[in-house]
Amino acid sequence: MQVTDIGSREDGKIWHRKSVSSKYGTDSVLHLTPCTVRFLHVAFDTTGESFLAGDHHGNIYVFDISRNRFKLVQKTGQACTALAFNLRRTTEFLVALADYSIKCFDKDTRQLVSWMRGHEGAISSLSIHSSGSYAISTSSDTAQLWNLDTFQRKRKLNVRQSVGIQKVFFLPHSNTILSCFSDDSIFAWESDTLFCKYQLPVPQDGPRIHYRTFAVTQDGKTLAAAGRSNLVHLWCLDSRQLLRVIHMPPEVKSVRFVDFLPDSFDGGSNQILGVLSQDGIMRFINIQSCKQIFEIGSHEDAIMLAAICPKGHHIVAVMDSGALRIYDVRSLTPEISKPPQPLLKRVTKGKSSEGSGLKMKVHTGAGQRPVKTSGRRIQSKVLPSAVSTLADKENDLPNGLNKKRLQALLRAFGEYPAKYRMFIWRSLLHLPENHAAFSSLTDKGLHSAYMCLQERYPIKSHKLQRGLQRVLSALAHWAAVFGETDYLPLLAFPFVKLFENNPLICFEVVATIIVNWCQHWFEYFPNPPLNVLSLAENVLAHHDKELLQHFVACGVTSQLYAWPLLETLFSEVLMREEWLKLFDNVFSNHPSFLLMAVVAYVTCCRAPLLLCTERKDFEYFFHHRNSLDISAMLKEAYRLMDSTPADIHPSSALSDFEPLTQGQYPIFNKYPTFIVEYQSQERERIRQQEVEYLRERQEVQELHAEAVRQQAEFEAWYKQQELLLQGEEQRRRILQEEESKLTQQRARLAAMKRELKVKELNLIDSSRRRFLKHQQDQRRIQLKRLDDEIQRKVLVCCYLPMDQLLTPPARTFVD
């Protein structure tokens, strides 16, 4: 098997060496990178040597098998919903886009030829008339007939809202249009006048098959129809009768796609029918002998869609991984393209086959041919009992329970008895209870992604916190993507709380939900599952266009109104009893029921939602509890399950329930591994950086502590110095004050001294004056005394003789 990685190339070789046919019949496997890019649809041209392929980014490639080349011919920018490559002008092709429009491009010039509008829903199929001049586009509510010469709409087929359109297409080499509806009715119309030619009778016997896929032989005489069962109806369009009912093997629960494999020698009455079932395997059976010729695909590498070239030489399959796989039909089995047997045969005796009926069971050995009965009803004497036994076996659950009886009980009471609920759940989910495998996961310890779970999701109960941490770590050890999934704690917590004392059952319940009810959730990881959300949006668009238009007008996408309900499994918006009642019904039905419950919740709350206009109001609404009748919601979910057309029914994109295997848990790798590995490496790198950061932070903290200590010391020293300076200043101020006081005192003292000096001088002056006065007085007294003496002497002289007056007194000299 050769692998070609297209990557970002716009042209190149399909395979790089000559194709060698192997027992698998594989020519090439084509991948796109990055792995989030997926092929969605393929379509062959009339030659069967070239085919178109469109991916969900809107890139359209042309693959020429004969020339071993591929080329990017258009970038539409939108995901394609249908392709057609067999127009009258061989270089032109039609692309139905996600905006409900159809564009015609030329593959050589890469120019837009025309742009056709008119649908109000997603276009599910494009059918081209054998002349290449007319096309029919089909959506769930209408089918439109287009003239490809003028690109004008000729006619439009409208139906009641309660009856959706499954498919409308041209019969090969005919002007007849076949229309198939969701109620299993099939009408044939004249393409020119749109006059109803006939209607095929709806089978009344047996269970309803819910047609959703159709195929017609190249001669336009046999119609194959199948749907949500393991039965394939073959109609003869000439006689307008049910020709045969083919019972597929037990592993087939529903049919996704059917198509006839053309043969060069069958004259257009194709005898080999390809049947693609829900398990991703396409089985090719002979419709006459009901013998399986070969099969393609596997459970590990499932097929989502296939296209068979008009010559029957190649089959192109769109794989579940988003890759394309090209099969060489001639290398798959030697029985293909054999020349017919000679016309001359010898008559031999043989045993007559007993029993009659139109129902035949597909087997790998030699098959018996059906024998027609005279009546119109489908009769079978042996196989119905076998079918009923098989159905009972498929509905048998562990512990002696029967799924159909449980569903009848659920429909009658709306919920399972609380006393037996956990027992019924374990039986419905077929839990294997792999103790050894679970122990090997828990022995690895806590996963590094959930070491600090309590910081992101704090829980009051330490027991619940440890239980949640343990289950999430086991899931992360089981598949690496669960270590990177942010919403996994929200998804797992209700079950951790419910199975608080049994971590093994809790783990297996969550793992079973992820494998079955969370199908395709991780294909766009780490982004929300846009493919799954689009399934819910298509259902909402079919049943409540007004509400969807209100969402669009308010800028609200499915990531806002559907994803919060899915990622929390309704645990934020429902009370405990309501939540348990909901999951009684979820576990009892097809995995698509969960998406129907999302749409039912939205439609049941349409009144308050139509009043909301702000984005924050919608965000609050879908993250908090609201007044809702859970019984009415479940009733609406069942109504949606039954009335949604098969082409937009989520069950067409989701596989049936598959329990966990016994002994070991299955490998879970339905996610872009390189993104998870990159994130894991980045997380490990970040963890190492965090450890280094913590170490450096510890060192920085120590340095910081030392710096703080030194700073504190410096601050203390500075404070002490400041206090000292303050003390010195205070003392200086005191000294200054004292000096000022002393100066003042000195001034006062000087003043006092001056005053005292003045006083002293005054006293001295007064004393001197008194002394002078006293001297003056003394001198005056002395002078007076002298005057008195003189007077006295005078007086004496007057009385003495003259001789006495002239005689000097005697003097005595002493030596």
Side-chain angles (χ1 to χ4, degrees), residues 313-553:
H313 296 161
H314 298 94
I315 302 171
V316 178
V318 179
M319 312 307 290
D320 187 35
S321 61
L324 289 184
R325 179 166 292 179
I326 306 174
Y327 293 90
D328 183 0
V329 177
R330 290 164 291 190
S331 64
L332 290 170
T333 173
E335 298 185 20
I336 302 297
S337 300
K338 276 187 175 182
Q341 297 292 329
L343 298 178
L344 179 61
K345 292 186 179 180
R346 185 182 299 274
V347 176
T348 59
K349 292 183 179 181
K351 296 181 179 179
S352 60
S353 58
E354 297 180 359
S356 61
L358 300 180
K359 180 178 287 189
M360 299 190 67
K361 191 172 182 179
V362 175
H363 54 89
T364 56
Q368 75 177 50
R369 296 183 178 274
V371 180
K372 294 185 180 180
T373 60
S374 57
R376 293 179 59 182
R377 298 182 62 187
I378 303 173
Q379 301 177 358
S380 181
K381 296 182 179 179
V382 180
L383 288 179
S385 62
V387 173
S388 62
T389 304
L390 178 62
D392 291 339
K393 185 176 181 181
E394 290 176 354
N395 286 285
D396 285 340
L397 300 176
N399 306 309
L401 298 179
N402 184 275
K403 187 173 183 179
K404 284 193 173 182
R405 294 180 180 178
L406 289 176
Q407 289 175 337
L409 177 67
L410 187 63
R411 288 294 183 102
F413 296 97
E415 59 182 327
Y416 292 128
K419 183 177 180 181
Y420 303 105
R421 175 176 279 122
M422 298 301 104
F423 171 74
I424 295 173
W425 281 16
R426 292 169 64 177
S427 301
L428 287 170
L429 298 178
H430 295 270
L431 300 184
E433 300 188 23
N434 297 328
H435 293 274
F438 180 69
S439 298
S440 66
L441 294 176
T442 55
D443 291 343
K444 296 180 180 179
L446 293 180
H447 195 272
S448 58
Y450 299 109
M451 288 288 188
C452 302
L453 181 66
Q454 65 277 2
E455 298 178 1
R456 292 181 294 162
Y457 302 97
I459 301 176
K460 292 182 178 179
S461 172
H462 294 291
K463 183 178 181 181
L464 279 178
Q465 184 79 50
R466 291 192 301 270
L468 178 62
Q469 210 168 13
R470 185 180 183 185
V471 171
L472 294 178
S473 297
L475 289 170
H477 290 308
W478 175 42
V481 67
F482 300 133
E484 311 295 333
T485 307
D486 294 335
Y487 56 84
L488 190 61
L490 300 175
L491 186 145
F493 178 72
F495 300 98
V496 173
K497 192 172 183 180
L498 200 61
F499 299 97
E500 184 176 1
N501 299 317
N502 198 332
L504 168 64
I505 298 300
C506 178
F507 170 83
E508 292 189 346
V509 168
V510 175
T512 304
I513 290 174
I514 290 174
V515 171
N516 292 278
W517 281 271
C518 300
Q519 295 178 41
H520 310 297
W521 279 29
F522 305 96
E523 294 179 359
Y524 294 89
F525 184 86
N527 300 314
L530 303 179
N531 49 348
V532 176
L533 298 179
S534 65
L535 295 177
E537 190 168 52
N538 290 339
V539 177
L540 180 62
H542 178 76
H543 291 280
D544 199 335
K545 290 183 180 179
E546 180 186 359
L547 182 57
L548 181 60
Q549 290 175 356
H550 177 67
F551 285 156
V552 173

Side-chain angles (χ1 to χ4, degrees), residues 726-744 746:
Q726 289 177 356
E728 184 178 357
E729 289 293 329
Q730 186 176 3
R731 288 179 177 83
R732 284 180 180 177
R733 287 195 301 270
I734 293 173
L735 287 176
Q736 289 178 355
E737 292 175 357
E738 292 297 328
E739 287 180 356
S740 176
K741 290 180 182 180
L742 183 59
T743 302
Q744 293 176 359
R746 284 178 179 176

Side-chain angles (χ1 to χ4, degrees), residues 38 41 83 94 156 188 295 311 439 590 683 735 760:
R38 299 170 52 88
H41 295 279
L83 290 171
L94 297 181
K156 182 178 180 181
E295 64 181 32
K311 304 298 182 183
S439 298
H590 189 273
R683 184 165 49 79
L735 287 176
E760 182 181 2

